Amino acid sequence: MSEHLVTETSPHPVEHQFEDRYQQKEASTLGMWTFLATEVLFFGALFVSYTLYRHQYPDAFRQGSLELKWYLGGINTAVLLLSSFCMAMAVHAASVGSNSGIIRYLILTIAVAAIFLGIKATEYYIEYREQLVPALNFSLAPPPEQQLGALTASFGRFDRWLATRLHAEPLPDGPRSPNEKLFMLFYFVMTAIHATHMIIGIAIMLVLIWMARRGKFSREYHNPVECFGLYWHFVDIVWVFLFPALYLLRNP
Amino acid sequence: MAEKHDHVVSPRLYVSVLTALMLLLALTLVAAFVDLDKLLHGGYWNMSLAIVIAIFKAILIILFFMHVKYASRVTWAFASAAFVWLAILLTLTFADYGTRPTPAESPVPSHRLTP
Amino acid sequence: MSSIPYIPAEFDPPARATYLNAGHTIRSWLLTKDHKRIGILYMVTITLMFMVAAVAAAMIRINLLSPAGLLREPTIYNRAFTLHGIVMVWWFLVPSIPTTLGNFLIPMMIGARDLAFPRLNLASWYLFTISAVMILAVLIFGGVDTGWTFYTPYSSLFANTHVTLTVAAIFVNGFSSIFTGLNFIVTIHKMRAPGLTWFRLPLFCWAMYATSVIFVLATPVLAITLVLLAVERILRIGIFDPALGGDPILFQHLFWFYSHPVVYIQILPTFGVASEIITNMARKRPFGYKAIAFSSLAIMLIGFLVWGHHMFDAGISPYSGLVFSILSFAVAIPTAVKIFSWTFTLYKGSVALETPMLYMVGFMGLFTIGGLTGVMLATLGLDVHMHDTYFVVAHFHYVMVGGAVMGYLGGVHYWWPKITGKMYSEFWGKIAAGIGFIGFNLTFFPQYIMGYLGMPRRYFAYPPEFQVYHVLSTAGASILAIGYFMPLVYLLYSLKYGRDAGPNPWRSMSLEWQTPSPPPTENFEKTPVISQPPYAYDLQSPMGAPAPVVST
């Protein structure tokens, strides 16, 4: 009975409420899955609200979607999928007991996540210059090209060029529909909450790197890395749904 | 209660999954620019296709990156339960919005019209 | 001349180590990881919050003594009923049994040393207490007047009261709930002692499991709804504002998706307590163990499908109203299964009418009345007449006070000897239960009548023909207050002057009673191995030397 009470080589002991490291690991993983279930419902309610309004105002929401830079969103999706891959590799390194592997792949994940956030920040900046931010500067009349900064104007031109090359529908000229404000609100709220989850994830990864540097993880004990991996993949899944929902409403 | 839980997934599998995910992303983008609604005469085909592809991506991530394929039934049940509950929220809310009478079905009585 | 030899104090045997004397500093309490101490911390916090909400209730009842309203202004009345609802729901009823009895008992009932995540448990209490400070701040700054349901667009665009701080407090409180639910789910799945299969779990654990699933799946939707409400209020953009294209009914859908299941959070733990007390005090196995266990899960599941019955008059489509009405009837079925099972458990049992049992008998009767009026309200045609009247108020007070609060009090009395090692005065216990029962019915039964006759809820002033009912109701509330105050006195008194209870005064078969009272910090010296179900009460030996459930 007492053989499995003490772990063999793991530097991290089993907590007193658990019988052995297997029970501890299963409890941690199940706990993280339970937490992810709450997150599914947290984001899910936003998706439900968004979908309802999209059905109520199809034209306004389509217009709003055309304002977003789908290629930036697409690149970001690829970036986040790559970061998920790096995270999976970090968990793999943990499961074979390589603290240096964990550090390497976590640093990669953070770097890739930083790219995502950089692109997102650029998008936010462009949307700000185009006066699309509700409560800040949303205006029904799109600002004339002279008022846009160089970056925003060049993205606008690239947009129109791309639309002609792809024979796709360009952003229509003329005043915006008032209900576009609702679309932009959902866009900002949903992507901001998603970005907040990513920032928290990066902070946790820094802590995990610090722990790995002190050799805290081993084949027998790497629950924090594995559980965080689940969290990070979930954040990726949220974006996988956010991207088509927000950016690709081209044909309602 | 100990299970043989130290299953290690091979990195090659991760690379294959990543490739599949990128291909699905490309498919999403292509599909977004093909006007299926015009081809198939109305309906929500484009959005539905985009969501179906997204669901496939999510399933790949859940099964392989999140190891659900190699995990216990309890884990599988927890992972699905969340989406089932989301479906409850979606379905019953749409049951309301989807069955509201249209303005044509419930015209304003004439005595309530402002002169 | 004494025949008892005098032995100096230094020869006294060392006091047995219990969780209560394992550390006497405030730090040892505020930084504890022991689930039992955390349960007591919660008990202190929720008792204080109950008193705050009770004062608000007193203001309501005093105001309604006169048809013209006795409070100075209607806005004060609006804040009183809002605060009463908010504090009672989120700072008393939702946490009550789960965080006190649930925290204390679940590990002991399953043979574990603690919950799966003790530090998370402590974090839950801190979040809860921080949220309590926040809502008290709201109270000090002048309160909220939107009603506990925060309907938009009033709450988001027009109310001049502290809505944002209130929803922030509830948001924090929600995370406390989520973490507690998470902890319980993982604990019950993964930390059961060897031999403790699912169908050997005490029914209290089944009830707590179902409650925890609701915590985990419903609360996040409330969280995001409150975020959207705060965003609309702060940024003045119409998510729910019709003038800007928003939909107030969407708020109601999202709000009630959580707030209906929350009422099952409030009553399911009482169902668990009832299963424990009734089987013990009737000295019988539960009639239909599996039926009771599965009905907890059924109530949890169906409870998620009925939220629209709060919105029949709000403007939802009649077809969806029909669907929600039928589903609401359905949820009464597993509830009835429980009531029948307990009744058949009592039948031909050797029933002891101790104080906990009195509370349970009261609960069964009052909850049945409240539940049946719930079915009445679920009927579309009747609800159109009774929505937003005192009939609804009476209904939910019958199930929440006659049901959940009685369950909480009964449970606290039943497990008091285990938690404190002391026995309370049975005489005063019975008196208080009786006074509470009389006070409760006098308070809330007239409300059914006046509600049916048309008295609206949340009204500061009312037509004079309802005054007699309101006076009866306020008189009843004063008596009820006495019935609630008395346990506070005699339970606290027993801490110092009560007789030692011994390990198992109720001669229970359940695992938590097979330890000393109060238990040691680690609960069990060795992990028990379970070989039989927990309700092996044997009628052949009515004095009930319990057959051992534990072999080590």
Side-chain angles (χ1 to χ4, degrees):
Chain A
M1 179 185 77
S2 54
E3 298 87 39
H4 49 254
L5 272 177
V6 177
T7 57
E8 315 79 297
T9 55
S10 160
H12 192 103
V14 175
E15 297 205 1
H16 84 282
Q17 67 270 17
F18 295 117
E19 295 294 313
D20 55 37
R21 69 178 178 93
Y22 297 105
Q23 191 187 39
Q24 179 170 269
K25 180 180 170 122
E26 284 177 26
S28 315
T29 323
L30 200 63
M32 180 49 83
W33 273 108
T34 313
F35 178 69
L36 292 181
T38 72
E39 293 272 51
V40 167
L41 279 144
F42 189 76
F43 279 101
L46 276 173
F47 274 99
V48 167
S49 310
Y50 172 79
T51 312
L52 276 159
Y53 281 129
R54 180 229 171 284
H55 277 267
Q56 206 162 348
Y57 305 115
D59 293 319
F61 271 50
R62 206 171 112 251
Q63 278 232 35
S65 181
L66 286 173
E67 301 267 11
L68 302 179
K69 308 289 176 280
W70 63 268
Y71 39 91
L72 290 181
I75 293 174
N76 257 352
T77 312
V79 164
L80 212 48
L81 289 172
L82 185 63
S83 84
S84 240
F85 170 77
C86 295
M87 190 65 223
M89 292 303 296
V91 174
H92 176 265
S95 60
V96 297
S98 162
N99 276 295
S100 56
I102 295 175
I103 296 174
R104 198 180 319 131
Y105 282 109
L106 282 183
I107 291 182
L108 261 175
T109 312
I110 292 180
V112 176
I115 295 175
F116 177 98
L117 290 172
I119 297 179
K120 195 93 216 76
T122 314
E123 280 183 85
Y124 279 172
Y125 172 75
I126 294 173
E127 277 129 22
Y128 174 75
R129 291 309 295 259
E130 287 181 344
Q131 296 186 354
L132 284 168
V133 186
L136 265 184
N137 65 357
F138 186 90
S139 94
L140 286 174
E145 186 147 349
Q146 311 89 281
Q147 273 183 32
L148 302 172
L151 182 70
T152 314
S154 45
F155 266 104
R157 282 194 294 275
F158 177 69
D159 240 5
R160 285 189 285 279
W161 174 83
L162 198 57
T164 23
R165 287 301 303 249
L166 290 173
H167 305 287
E169 176 165 357
L171 183 63
D173 298 313
R176 299 168 180 152
S177 148
N179 292 318
E180 246 182 83
K181 200 170 173 185
L182 202 53
F183 173 87
M184 294 311 300
L185 180 75
F186 271 100
Y187 164 75
F188 279 108
V189 167
M190 291 171 88
T191 54
I193 295 182
H194 177 263
T196 311
H197 279 77
M198 283 191 67
I199 294 173
I200 294 174
I202 292 178
I204 297 178
M205 277 193 273
L206 291 172
V207 173
L208 291 176
I209 290 177
W210 176 79
M211 288 172 79
R213 291 197 66 184
R214 303 182 67 190
K216 292 255 188 210
F217 302 123
S218 63
R219 290 185 85 124
E220 292 78 28
Y221 174 77
H222 50 270
N223 294 342
V225 182
E226 195 158 327
C227 289
F228 177 77
L230 292 175
Y231 172 83
W232 193 256
H233 294 307
F234 171 78
V235 172
D236 188 15
I237 291 177
V238 172
W239 183 262
V240 158
F241 283 97
L242 267 182
F243 172 60
L246 290 171
Y247 288 80
L248 299 182
L249 278 190
R250 313 197 71 83
N251 306 296
Chain B
M1 285 254 184
E3 296 171 12
K4 11 109 225 130
H5 212 74
D6 298 333
H7 184 283
V8 176
V9 180
S10 110
R12 265 212 307 263
L13 180 61
Y14 289 147
V15 175
S16 323
V17 171
L18 180 65
T19 318
L21 288 168
M22 294 295 189
L23 287 173
L24 285 171
L25 174 61
L27 185 60
T28 314
L29 290 169
V30 166
F33 286 93
V34 174
D35 193 346
L36 284 176
D37 291 332
K38 236 192 290 186
L39 283 179
L40 294 163
H41 305 291
Y44 293 105
W45 290 104
N46 269 90
M47 182 59 12
S48 311
L49 181 60
I51 291 180
V52 165
I53 299 178
I55 291 177
F56 263 112
K57 284 192 216 150
I59 290 179
L60 280 175
I61 296 176
I62 291 175
L63 282 179
F64 296 106
F65 283 168
M66 296 170 91
H67 298 172
V68 170
K69 188 172 191 303
Y70 313 103
S72 63
R73 275 202 169 172
V74 177
T75 309
W76 184 92
F78 275 49
S80 352
F83 292 101
V84 168
W85 255 256
L86 191 56
I88 293 175
L89 175 60
L90 205 73
T91 312
L92 282 172
T93 312
F94 271 104
D96 171 27
Y97 284 98
T99 56
R100 295 265 180 94
T102 60
E105 288 168 349
S106 50
V108 177
S110 53
H111 66 273
R112 295 187 72 106
L113 289 169
T114 42
Chain C
M1 210 167 75
S2 170
S3 57
I4 302 170
Y6 169 70
I7 301 175
E10 55 260 32
F11 293 111
D12 281 346
R16 184 174 55 80
T18 72
Y19 78 98
L20 284 173
N21 57 30
H24 292 277
T25 61
I26 295 198
R27 195 190 148 94
S28 74
W29 277 90
L30 291 182
L31 290 181
T32 181
K33 291 195 300 218
D34 183 359
H35 64 101
K36 301 183 286 299
R37 287 195 165 198
I38 294 176
I40 294 188
L41 288 174
Y42 266 109
M43 208 180 270
V44 171
T45 325
I46 68 172
T47 307
L48 290 169
M49 298 308 282
F50 180 83
M51 293 180 193
V52 169
V55 167
M59 289 173 69
I60 296 173
R61 292 278 16 123
I62 290 174
N63 176 69
L64 292 172
L65 278 174
S66 155
L70 282 182
L71 291 173
R72 255 186 306 121
E73 304 171 2
T75 54
I76 298 182
Y77 180 71
N78 297 345
R79 289 161 209 239
F81 68 67
T82 304
L83 212 60
H84 171 70
I86 291 175
V87 175
M88 273 302 185
V89 168
W90 279 294
W91 279 274
F92 179 71
L93 283 165
V94 162
S96 60
I97 297 176
T99 59
T100 55
L101 299 174
N103 259 326
F104 196 98
L105 296 169
I106 290 178
M108 297 185 71
M109 284 181 167
I110 64 173
R113 281 185 286 281
D114 206 314
L115 290 177
F117 308 117
R119 280 180 295 245
L120 188 65
N121 201 13
L122 184 65
S124 281
W125 180 74
Y126 272 104
L127 285 174
F128 181 77
T129 308
I130 290 171
S131 74
V133 169
M134 288 167 80
I135 198 69
L136 289 175
V138 167
L139 170 62
I140 293 170
F141 292 149
V144 221
D145 65 347
T146 58
W148 83 279
T149 52
F150 300 108
Y151 277 5
T152 58
Y154 178 66
S155 61
S156 54
L157 295 174
F158 300 103
N160 288 328
T161 50
H162 302 276
V163 175
T164 311
L165 186 54
T166 307
V167 304
I170 298 172
F171 185 88
V172 174
N173 180 304
F175 273 94
S176 164
S177 296
I178 289 176
F179 292 149
T180 298
L182 190 159
N183 227 331
F184 287 174
I185 290 176
V186 176
T187 304
I188 294 177
H189 267 280
K190 291 295 177 189
M191 317 243 321
R192 284 168 284 134
L196 190 57
T197 60
W198 280 92
F199 292 121
R200 287 181 183 164
L201 273 175
L203 288 166
F204 179 77
C205 294
W206 277 98
M208 292 311 309
Y209 183 80
T211 309
S212 303
V213 175
I214 306 179
F215 270 136
V216 160
L217 294 177
T219 319
V221 176
L222 176 75
I224 194 66
T225 311
L226 294 177
V227 166
L228 290 176
L229 178 60
V231 163
E232 175 155 327
R233 195 167 162 80
I234 296 172
L235 299 182
R236 303 261 138 194
I237 306 172
I239 309 173
F240 305 118
D241 174 20
L244 294 167
D247 187 2
I249 298 185
L250 177 63
F251 174 84
Q252 295 186 30
H253 272 296
L254 294 174
F255 177 81
W256 287 112
F257 180 83
Y258 161 82
S259 298
H260 188 82
V262 91
V263 313
Y264 295 111
I265 287 178
Q266 294 165 5
I267 199 63
L268 274 168
T270 297
F271 292 161
V273 167
S275 295
E276 298 302 316
I277 296 180
I278 289 175
T279 49
N280 173 277
M281 298 213 164
R283 313 301 303 167
K284 263 183 84 184
R285 300 169 193 270
F287 181 92
Y289 173 96
K290 283 194 183 172
I292 300 181
F294 284 128
S295 65
S296 292
L297 297 181
I299 291 172
M300 176 268 288
L301 178 58
I302 306 177
F304 271 100
L305 306 176
V306 301
W307 77 84
H309 67 229
H310 299 269
M311 300 165 59
F312 284 150
D313 285 355
I316 62 176
S317 82
Y319 304 104
S320 97
L322 186 69
V323 166
F324 279 121
S325 178
I326 295 174
L327 288 167
S328 305
F329 289 154
V331 81
I333 298 174
T335 318
V337 163
K338 286 185 188 287
I339 300 271
F340 286 130
S341 298
W342 293 321
T343 310
F344 291 136
T345 307
L346 288 170
Y347 179 66
K348 290 205 176 166
S350 169
V351 180
L353 286 174
E354 313 266 352
T355 304
M357 190 60 174
L358 290 179
Y359 279 110
M360 289 304 105
V361 170
F363 148 72
M364 283 172 69
L366 297 176
F367 180 79
T368 303
I369 296 175
L372 289 174
T373 51
V375 175
M376 289 169 71
L377 287 166
T379 314
L380 260 177
L382 287 178
D383 188 73
V384 171
H385 173 64
M386 298 193 289
H387 176 69
D388 265 352
T389 66
Y390 257 81
F391 194 90
V392 178
V393 175
H395 154 70
F396 66 69
H397 281 94
Y398 260 78
V399 290
M400 290 209 276
V401 181
V405 176
M406 287 218 164
Y408 175 69
L409 288 175
V412 166
H413 281 77
Y414 182 68
W415 278 289
W416 188 259
K418 176 55 59 186
I419 296 173
T420 61
K422 302 286 190 180
M423 209 49 188
Y424 52 85
S425 156
E426 180 58 29
F427 173 76
W428 287 111
K430 290 197 165 89
I431 301 267
I435 292 179
F437 184 82
I438 294 170
F440 171 83
N441 281 294
L442 189 56
T443 312
F444 294 108
F445 200 82
Q447 295 186 3
Y448 275 129
I449 303 174
M450 66 170 145
Y452 192 73
L453 291 175
M455 169 73 202
R457 63 187 287 199
R458 298 178 173 154
Y459 269 42
F460 164 76
Y462 55 86
E465 60 256 35
F466 295 117
Q467 185 178 24
V468 60
Y469 303 105
H470 278 296
V471 170
L472 284 173
S473 191
T474 304
S478 332
I479 300 174
L480 183 61
I482 297 174
Y484 284 158
F485 183 69
M486 289 173 68
L488 196 61
V489 171
Y490 64 73
L491 287 175
L492 288 177
Y493 178 91
S494 77
L495 285 179
K496 192 151 192 279
Y497 300 107
R499 67 174 166 85
D500 283 336
N504 194 355
W506 311 120
R507 293 171 296 129
S508 168
M509 313 294 290
S510 191
L511 202 51
E512 79 273 17
W513 291 101
Q514 316 308 326
T515 60
S517 303
T521 304
E522 66 277 8
N523 299 335
F524 302 95
E525 288 191 24
K526 284 192 234 178
T527 306
V529 175
I530 312 303
S531 53
Q532 52 177 294
Y535 300 106
Y537 294 108
D538 189 358
L539 272 188
Q540 262 66 53
S541 51
M543 292 315 286
V549 293
V550 173
S551 57
T552 47

